[in-house]
Amino acid sequence: MSKEVILTGIRANNDLTLGNYFGAILPIVDMAKKRANEYQINLFVPDLHSFTTPIDHSQLQEQIMHNLRLFVAAGLPLNHPDVHIYRQSYIPAHSELAWILDCFTGFGEMSRMIEFKDKSAKLGEERVGVGLFNYPVLMAADILLYNATYIPVGDDQTQHLEFTRDIAERLNTRFGDLFSVPYQVKKQHEFFGNDQGLRIKDLQDPTKKMSKSDETGKGVIFLGDTPEVAAKKIMSATTDSLGVIKFDWAEQPGITNLLQLLALATERPQTEVNKQWEGKTAYGELKKAVAEAITGFLQGLQGQLVLVDDSALLAKLGASEKAMNEVANKTLYKVQKAVGLR
Ligand code: TYM
């Protein structure tokens, strides 16, 4: 029997953030380090997704390479035969399958996507492309081509994961068993444990997620931030006037976000960190501890980044892209046959 596939992608539209790291990179790299003998690991750059929101296209090539290097710096073992790293646009089956799935997707279904509503509200009608509207369909194709069942993503992608399950089931019902259906979100959370389904909040406005497409970047910690810049952003994080530390997303989202970051960056259980800090009143002390943990984490990651061997990375990319084209084309052919194109 072939191994189950764990798969995720991270867009290359800007420098990555702590949210991307803890929400998606960490859980999959952890699996790749510990369980690549049991599961196949696919980590890819969805480069076609990178301009669903406006970007500087002259930077895209470098940004794609930078993301790939970050995966390696985060600890992705390139020498494991069941770990694959690739760029979406090098495997044309992604866009082909997306088109077919588009034709079985409801307009209303896409209109209900919260990410679309949020992002399009920010951009204004003139700047909203159709690609932003139906990118969840391309995302479904990214997953279904490889029959992936475990998809570590942040909480903002939950709805897209549910859509992937729906469209897979819809086509399976109509045309016979074409796709493996990814597991329900609850099961994904159980599988990945603590790290799954996270939503790291913006430091300035802790009611919204920390996002790499945020135009000011003031409340966002980028993985390329210098320790000084990162520490400054943490020290000026918005908190509240309640004056007592408590892990409570509803009443104290700023403080709770800091407690969460502290647990993640120090790799300690959230309950343990909460126990240490809850009831204390010195917000400044908590910020200092978070700043220290995060700057230590960034220094470690950035130190690894400069050590990444580009030639080994490019060799792995070439090999993975060849192998994944074969897998993806097989699934695509099955679908083409089922809908009558072959
Ligand atoms: P993207 O590039 O916006 O974000 C990449 C991953 O980072 C997670 N993330 C967060 N997690 C926790 N807290 C945050 N503040 C935070 N911000 C971002 C996202 O949830 C995501 O997991 N459509 C996807 C990319 C994609 C994909 C796929 C993912 C394309 N095809 C197939 C999985 C499978 C996206 O826009 O992610």
Side-chain angles (χ1 to χ4, degrees):
M1 219 183 95
S2 58
K3 288 174 164 181
E4 277 196 276
V5 179
I6 306 176
L7 172 149
T8 203
I10 292 127
R11 285 188 304 152
N13 56 329
N14 200 350
D15 192 6
L16 301 185
T17 70
L18 282 184
N20 300 131
Y21 186 88
F22 291 124
I25 299 178
L26 179 65
I28 199 163
V29 168
D30 238 24
M31 286 291 161
K33 285 203 274 196
K34 295 179 192 147
R35 303 185 73 176
N37 290 331
E38 296 160 75
Y39 294 92
Q40 181 184 312
I41 310 286
N42 285 23
L43 179 53
F44 73 105
V45 177
D47 49 358
L48 292 168
H49 285 265
S50 295
F51 39 95
T52 50
T53 48
I55 60 160
D56 175 355
H57 289 262
S58 69
Q59 301 296 314
L60 183 56
Q61 263 309 303
E62 183 44 36
Q63 192 63 58
I64 292 167
M65 281 312 296
H66 179 72
N67 280 19
L68 292 165
R69 289 187 196 108
L70 265 172
F71 301 159
V72 183
L76 191 76
L78 289 186
N79 54 6
H80 199 291
D82 278 325
V83 170
H84 301 288
I85 183 169
Y86 52 94
R87 294 159 291 187
Q88 177 190 41
S89 74
Y90 281 69
I91 303 170
H94 288 245
S95 350
E96 293 254 356
L97 179 61
W99 175 258
I100 297 173
L101 298 182
D102 264 339
C103 300
F104 295 91
T105 299
F107 181 84
E109 219 171 4
M110 285 298 101
S111 312
R112 286 192 291 275
M113 293 293 167
I114 296 162
E115 273 295 286
F116 172 71
K117 287 190 199 162
D118 280 1
K119 289 209 168 101
S120 54
K122 256 189 253 160
L123 283 170
E125 207 168 294
E126 288 303 302
R127 292 167 77 205
V128 179
V130 175
L132 180 64
F133 182 69
N134 69 347
Y135 89 86
V137 182
L138 180 56
M139 178 165 165
D142 299 339
I143 296 169
L144 300 177
L145 277 175
Y146 304 94
N147 289 304
T149 44
Y150 285 113
I151 325 291
V153 284
D155 182 48
D156 57 319
Q157 300 295 318
T158 298
Q159 217 184 358
H160 303 158
L161 204 53
E162 275 160 2
F163 166 71
T164 304
R165 287 172 43 79
D166 289 347
I167 189 90
E169 277 167 356
R170 190 173 309 158
L171 267 78
N172 283 353
T173 306
R174 175 124 181 228
F175 297 106
D177 272 346
L178 295 176
F179 306 116
S180 301
V181 180
Y183 292 117
Q184 284 181 355
V185 172
K186 187 167 170 271
K187 181 154 179 185
Q188 307 263 351
H189 287 201
E190 284 162 10
F191 181 70
F192 291 103
N194 267 353
D195 299 334
Q196 175 64 0
L198 290 179
R199 185 172 283 251
I200 308 290
K201 305 292 180 144
D202 185 276
L203 293 168
Q204 286 295 312
D205 178 357
T207 60
K208 63 176 206 189
K209 76 164 182 178
M210 184 181 282
S211 165
K212 60 176 139 55
S213 42
D214 179 275
E215 279 170 3
T216 73
K218 276 191 190 159
V220 180
I221 299 202
F222 293 102
L223 298 181
D225 278 350
T226 62
E228 297 74 33
V229 167
K232 214 167 150 196
K233 287 178 183 171
I234 292 164
M235 294 311 291
S236 51
T238 302
T239 52
D240 53 65
S241 54
L242 294 175
V244 183
I245 295 170
K246 187 166 175 226
F247 189 89
D248 181 345
W249 284 114
E251 296 297 324
Q252 297 185 263
I255 288 291
T256 305
N257 195 33
L258 291 174
L259 288 168
Q260 175 169 265
L261 283 174
L262 188 57
L264 289 166
T266 54
E267 295 177 43
R268 287 163 64 207
Q270 189 68 61
T271 45
E272 190 187 303
V273 169
N274 294 353
K275 220 165 145 193
Q276 183 189 346
W277 287 92
E278 277 187 323
K280 293 192 175 159
T281 53
Y283 285 7
E285 289 302 307
L286 174 63
K287 284 182 175 178
K288 253 198 234 156
V290 177
E292 208 171 287
I294 295 293
T295 52
F297 159 76
L298 287 176
Q299 278 166 329
L301 184 68
Q302 291 166 4
Q304 288 301 313
L305 191 60
V306 292
L307 299 178
V308 174
D309 173 0
D310 268 8
S311 58
L313 172 59
L314 290 172
K316 180 73 180 184
L317 260 187
S320 288
E321 282 164 0
K322 188 164 176 279
M324 291 304 104
N325 258 302
E326 278 173 28
V327 177
N329 284 340
K330 248 191 217 159
T331 310
L332 178 64
Y333 181 68
K334 227 165 114 181
V335 179
Q336 287 172 325
K337 250 177 97 175
V339 301
L341 289 167
R342 295 289 183 274

Tab-separated table of all heavy atoms in Angstrom, residues 8-13 43-50 60 63-69 71 85-90 94 142 317:
chain	number	residue	atom	x	y	z
A	8	THR	N	1.439	20.521	2.199
A	8	THR	CA	1.025	21.917	2.360
A	8	THR	C	1.818	22.830	1.439
A	8	THR	O	2.874	22.462	0.929
A	8	THR	CB	1.092	22.399	3.826
A	8	THR	OG1	0.195	23.504	3.978
A	8	THR	CG2	2.472	22.849	4.260
A	9	GLY	N	1.256	24.039	1.202
A	9	GLY	CA	1.914	25.023	0.342
A	9	GLY	C	1.902	26.390	1.002
A	9	GLY	O	0.999	26.701	1.774
A	10	ILE	N	2.921	27.174	0.712
A	10	ILE	CA	3.005	28.532	1.264
A	10	ILE	C	3.305	29.493	0.129
A	10	ILE	O	4.306	29.336	-0.569
A	10	ILE	CB	4.086	28.606	2.373
A	10	ILE	CG1	3.588	27.788	3.571
A	10	ILE	CG2	4.322	30.039	2.819
A	10	ILE	CD1	4.506	26.780	4.047
A	11	ARG	N	2.417	30.453	-0.075
A	11	ARG	CA	2.560	31.384	-1.206
A	11	ARG	C	3.819	32.220	-1.081
A	11	ARG	O	4.308	32.467	0.031
A	11	ARG	CB	1.366	32.351	-1.231
A	11	ARG	CG	0.097	31.713	-1.724
A	11	ARG	CD	-0.970	32.750	-1.906
A	11	ARG	NE	-1.208	33.508	-0.689
A	11	ARG	CZ	-1.650	34.763	-0.677
A	11	ARG	NH1	-1.884	35.400	-1.798
A	11	ARG	NH2	-1.863	35.373	0.476
A	12	ALA	N	4.296	32.694	-2.239
A	12	ALA	CA	5.520	33.504	-2.239
A	12	ALA	C	5.178	34.943	-2.603
A	12	ALA	O	5.712	35.499	-3.543
A	12	ALA	CB	6.513	32.915	-3.242
A	13	ASN	N	4.245	35.543	-1.840
A	13	ASN	CA	3.845	36.900	-2.213
A	13	ASN	C	4.565	37.965	-1.411
A	13	ASN	O	4.427	39.151	-1.677
A	13	ASN	CB	2.324	37.077	-2.086
A	13	ASN	CG	1.817	36.749	-0.697
A	13	ASN	OD1	2.389	35.903	-0.016
A	13	ASN	ND2	0.774	37.406	-0.272
A	43	LEU	N	5.927	19.406	0.312
A	43	LEU	CA	5.922	20.824	0.685
A	43	LEU	C	6.227	21.610	-0.572
A	43	LEU	O	7.256	21.398	-1.210
A	43	LEU	CB	6.975	21.077	1.781
A	43	LEU	CG	7.136	22.509	2.269
A	43	LEU	CD1	5.819	23.124	2.698
A	43	LEU	CD2	8.118	22.563	3.449
A	44	PHE	N	5.321	22.494	-0.976
A	44	PHE	CA	5.515	23.152	-2.266
A	44	PHE	C	5.248	24.646	-2.195
A	44	PHE	O	4.605	25.132	-1.260
A	44	PHE	CB	4.634	22.489	-3.338
A	44	PHE	CG	3.166	22.800	-3.221
A	44	PHE	CD1	2.566	23.692	-4.089
A	44	PHE	CD2	2.389	22.202	-2.244
A	44	PHE	CE1	1.213	23.986	-3.992
A	44	PHE	CE2	1.041	22.494	-2.134
A	44	PHE	CZ	0.450	23.387	-3.010
A	45	VAL	N	5.764	25.361	-3.185
A	45	VAL	CA	5.471	26.787	-3.292
A	45	VAL	C	4.360	26.951	-4.338
A	45	VAL	O	4.577	26.693	-5.519
A	45	VAL	CB	6.709	27.601	-3.724
A	45	VAL	CG1	6.338	29.068	-3.898
A	45	VAL	CG2	7.821	27.458	-2.696
A	46	PRO	N	3.171	27.356	-3.896
A	46	PRO	CA	2.084	27.568	-4.850
A	46	PRO	C	2.323	28.894	-5.575
A	46	PRO	O	1.677	29.890	-5.293
A	46	PRO	CB	0.833	27.588	-3.978
A	46	PRO	CG	1.290	27.763	-2.583
A	46	PRO	CD	2.766	27.610	-2.515
A	47	ASP	N	3.262	28.866	-6.508
A	47	ASP	CA	3.669	30.137	-7.128
A	47	ASP	C	2.544	30.776	-7.943
A	47	ASP	O	2.468	31.995	-8.049
A	47	ASP	CB	4.968	29.975	-7.941
A	47	ASP	CG	4.956	28.793	-8.900
A	47	ASP	OD1	3.954	28.062	-8.930
A	47	ASP	OD2	5.960	28.616	-9.621
A	48	LEU	N	1.643	29.933	-8.489
A	48	LEU	CA	0.513	30.517	-9.232
A	48	LEU	C	-0.459	31.243	-8.309
A	48	LEU	O	-1.238	32.082	-8.755
A	48	LEU	CB	-0.245	29.418	-9.996
A	48	LEU	CG	0.512	28.762	-11.149
A	48	LEU	CD1	-0.229	27.519	-11.611
A	48	LEU	CD2	0.669	29.729	-12.310
A	49	HIS	N	-0.420	30.908	-7.028
A	49	HIS	CA	-1.274	31.600	-6.052
A	49	HIS	C	-0.646	32.925	-5.618
A	49	HIS	O	-1.297	33.692	-4.914
A	49	HIS	CB	-1.418	30.765	-4.773
A	49	HIS	CG	-2.327	29.578	-4.877
A	49	HIS	ND1	-3.647	29.610	-4.520
A	49	HIS	CD2	-2.089	28.312	-5.276
A	49	HIS	CE1	-4.188	28.401	-4.678
A	49	HIS	NE2	-3.253	27.604	-5.141
A	50	SER	N	0.618	33.135	-5.973
A	50	SER	CA	1.338	34.254	-5.366
A	50	SER	C	0.818	35.615	-5.784
A	50	SER	O	1.021	36.595	-5.093
A	50	SER	CB	2.833	34.166	-5.701
A	50	SER	OG	3.359	33.012	-5.101
A	60	LEU	N	9.355	38.172	-7.729
A	60	LEU	CA	8.739	36.858	-7.496
A	60	LEU	C	9.739	35.695	-7.548
A	60	LEU	O	9.742	34.836	-6.670
A	60	LEU	CB	7.562	36.634	-8.464
A	60	LEU	CG	6.780	35.323	-8.286
A	60	LEU	CD1	6.257	35.167	-6.867
A	60	LEU	CD2	5.612	35.238	-9.269
A	63	GLN	N	11.695	35.588	-4.475
A	63	GLN	CA	10.859	35.230	-3.331
A	63	GLN	C	10.574	33.720	-3.300
A	63	GLN	O	10.557	33.098	-2.238
A	63	GLN	CB	9.551	36.030	-3.411
A	63	GLN	CG	8.720	35.992	-2.158
A	63	GLN	CD	9.411	36.625	-0.950
A	63	GLN	OE1	9.787	37.777	-0.992
A	63	GLN	NE2	9.615	35.838	0.093
A	64	ILE	N	10.369	33.147	-4.487
A	64	ILE	CA	10.113	31.692	-4.558
A	64	ILE	C	11.336	30.938	-4.030
A	64	ILE	O	11.225	30.029	-3.196
A	64	ILE	CB	9.803	31.268	-6.015
A	64	ILE	CG1	8.450	31.843	-6.462
A	64	ILE	CG2	9.817	29.743	-6.162
A	64	ILE	CD1	8.191	31.755	-7.961
A	65	MET	N	12.520	31.342	-4.503
A	65	MET	CA	13.745	30.668	-4.052
A	65	MET	C	13.945	30.870	-2.550
A	65	MET	O	14.353	29.961	-1.837
A	65	MET	CB	14.969	31.206	-4.813
A	65	MET	CG	15.139	30.651	-6.208
A	65	MET	SD	15.004	28.844	-6.290
A	65	MET	CE	16.419	28.327	-5.307
A	66	HIS	N	13.632	32.076	-2.093
A	66	HIS	CA	13.793	32.380	-0.672
A	66	HIS	C	12.902	31.455	0.174
A	66	HIS	O	13.346	30.896	1.184
A	66	HIS	CB	13.450	33.852	-0.432
A	66	HIS	CG	13.563	34.275	0.996
A	66	HIS	ND1	14.780	34.425	1.624
A	66	HIS	CD2	12.615	34.539	1.928
A	66	HIS	CE1	14.569	34.768	2.887
A	66	HIS	NE2	13.272	34.840	3.092
A	67	ASN	N	11.653	31.282	-0.265
A	67	ASN	CA	10.751	30.405	0.498
A	67	ASN	C	11.288	28.979	0.544
A	67	ASN	O	11.245	28.312	1.581
A	67	ASN	CB	9.359	30.369	-0.135
A	67	ASN	CG	8.543	31.584	0.227
A	67	ASN	OD1	9.099	32.604	0.642
A	67	ASN	ND2	7.239	31.496	0.056
A	68	LEU	N	11.780	28.523	-0.608
A	68	LEU	CA	12.300	27.158	-0.659
A	68	LEU	C	13.487	27.001	0.301
A	68	LEU	O	13.592	26.018	1.033
A	68	LEU	CB	12.715	26.804	-2.090
A	68	LEU	CG	11.554	26.697	-3.093
A	68	LEU	CD1	12.069	26.716	-4.529
A	68	LEU	CD2	10.747	25.416	-2.854
A	69	ARG	N	14.336	28.024	0.304
A	69	ARG	CA	15.482	27.967	1.236
A	69	ARG	C	15.007	27.949	2.678
A	69	ARG	O	15.585	27.260	3.526
A	69	ARG	CB	16.401	29.183	1.028
A	69	ARG	CG	17.181	29.133	-0.263
A	69	ARG	CD	18.203	30.285	-0.308
A	69	ARG	NE	18.667	30.464	-1.658
A	69	ARG	CZ	18.335	31.492	-2.453
A	69	ARG	NH1	17.567	32.476	-2.010
A	69	ARG	NH2	18.785	31.562	-3.680
A	71	PHE	N	12.347	26.621	3.870
A	71	PHE	CA	11.882	25.276	4.239
A	71	PHE	C	13.086	24.425	4.682
A	71	PHE	O	13.004	23.664	5.631
A	71	PHE	CB	11.186	24.572	3.065
A	71	PHE	CG	9.971	25.294	2.518
A	71	PHE	CD1	9.508	25.034	1.241
A	71	PHE	CD2	9.287	26.225	3.294
A	71	PHE	CE1	8.384	25.678	0.734
A	71	PHE	CE2	8.164	26.879	2.798
A	71	PHE	CZ	7.717	26.608	1.510
A	85	ILE	N	9.781	18.490	-2.596
A	85	ILE	CA	9.721	19.950	-2.544
A	85	ILE	C	9.619	20.423	-3.993
A	85	ILE	O	10.369	19.976	-4.844
A	85	ILE	CB	10.964	20.482	-1.780
A	85	ILE	CG1	10.955	21.982	-1.622
A	85	ILE	CG2	12.264	20.039	-2.370
A	85	ILE	CD1	12.034	22.477	-0.631
A	86	TYR	N	8.609	21.247	-4.289
A	86	TYR	CA	8.408	21.614	-5.694
A	86	TYR	C	7.665	22.930	-5.854
A	86	TYR	O	7.109	23.469	-4.897
A	86	TYR	CB	7.674	20.503	-6.449
A	86	TYR	CG	6.381	20.034	-5.812
A	86	TYR	CD1	5.149	20.567	-6.179
A	86	TYR	CD2	6.397	19.042	-4.824
A	86	TYR	CE1	3.965	20.127	-5.593
A	86	TYR	CE2	5.220	18.605	-4.240
A	86	TYR	CZ	4.010	19.149	-4.616
A	86	TYR	OH	2.850	18.720	-4.022
A	87	ARG	N	7.717	23.423	-7.101
A	87	ARG	CA	7.001	24.648	-7.447
A	87	ARG	C	5.777	24.250	-8.269
A	87	ARG	O	5.895	23.516	-9.255
A	87	ARG	CB	7.918	25.572	-8.264
A	87	ARG	CG	9.097	26.091	-7.458
A	87	ARG	CD	10.231	26.544	-8.349
A	87	ARG	NE	10.876	25.416	-9.033
A	87	ARG	CZ	11.985	25.514	-9.779
A	87	ARG	NH1	12.557	26.692	-9.942
A	87	ARG	NH2	12.508	24.453	-10.371
A	88	GLN	N	4.653	24.773	-7.860
A	88	GLN	CA	3.371	24.412	-8.491
A	88	GLN	C	3.373	24.612	-10.001
A	88	GLN	O	2.934	23.743	-10.754
A	88	GLN	CB	2.303	25.296	-7.839
A	88	GLN	CG	0.906	25.194	-8.330
A	88	GLN	CD	0.088	26.336	-7.721
A	88	GLN	OE1	0.569	27.460	-7.636
A	88	GLN	NE2	-1.111	26.038	-7.294
A	89	SER	N	3.907	25.742	-10.479
A	89	SER	CA	3.780	26.042	-11.913
A	89	SER	C	4.670	25.147	-12.772
A	89	SER	O	4.562	25.149	-13.991
A	89	SER	CB	4.085	27.515	-12.194
A	89	SER	OG	5.466	27.759	-12.099
A	90	TYR	N	5.550	24.374	-12.131
A	90	TYR	CA	6.377	23.422	-12.893
A	90	TYR	C	5.626	22.115	-13.128
A	90	TYR	O	6.134	21.201	-13.749
A	90	TYR	CB	7.701	23.163	-12.164
A	90	TYR	CG	8.686	24.299	-12.394
A	90	TYR	CD1	8.460	25.558	-11.850
A	90	TYR	CD2	9.813	24.129	-13.194
A	90	TYR	CE1	9.328	26.610	-12.080
A	90	TYR	CE2	10.699	25.174	-13.431
A	90	TYR	CZ	10.441	26.412	-12.875
A	90	TYR	OH	11.306	27.455	-13.120
A	94	HIS	N	-1.707	21.038	-12.252
A	94	HIS	CA	-2.433	21.822	-11.235
A	94	HIS	C	-3.467	22.739	-11.895
A	94	HIS	O	-4.623	22.780	-11.496
A	94	HIS	CB	-1.461	22.681	-10.406
A	94	HIS	CG	-0.625	21.899	-9.452
A	94	HIS	ND1	-0.722	22.028	-8.085
A	94	HIS	CD2	0.339	20.967	-9.657
A	94	HIS	CE1	0.145	21.223	-7.490
A	94	HIS	NE2	0.813	20.565	-8.431
A	142	ASP	N	-4.421	21.352	-5.961
A	142	ASP	CA	-3.077	21.116	-5.387
A	142	ASP	C	-3.078	19.904	-4.462
A	142	ASP	O	-2.102	19.157	-4.377
A	142	ASP	CB	-2.625	22.313	-4.531
A	142	ASP	CG	-2.512	23.613	-5.304
A	142	ASP	OD1	-2.381	23.558	-6.538
A	142	ASP	OD2	-2.559	24.690	-4.662
A	317	LEU	N	14.865	19.882	-6.079
A	317	LEU	CA	13.704	20.469	-6.774
A	317	LEU	C	13.474	19.761	-8.108
A	317	LEU	O	12.353	19.365	-8.430
A	317	LEU	CB	13.984	21.928	-7.100
A	317	LEU	CG	13.418	23.030	-6.222
A	317	LEU	CD1	13.711	24.382	-6.860
A	317	LEU	CD2	11.932	22.871	-5.991
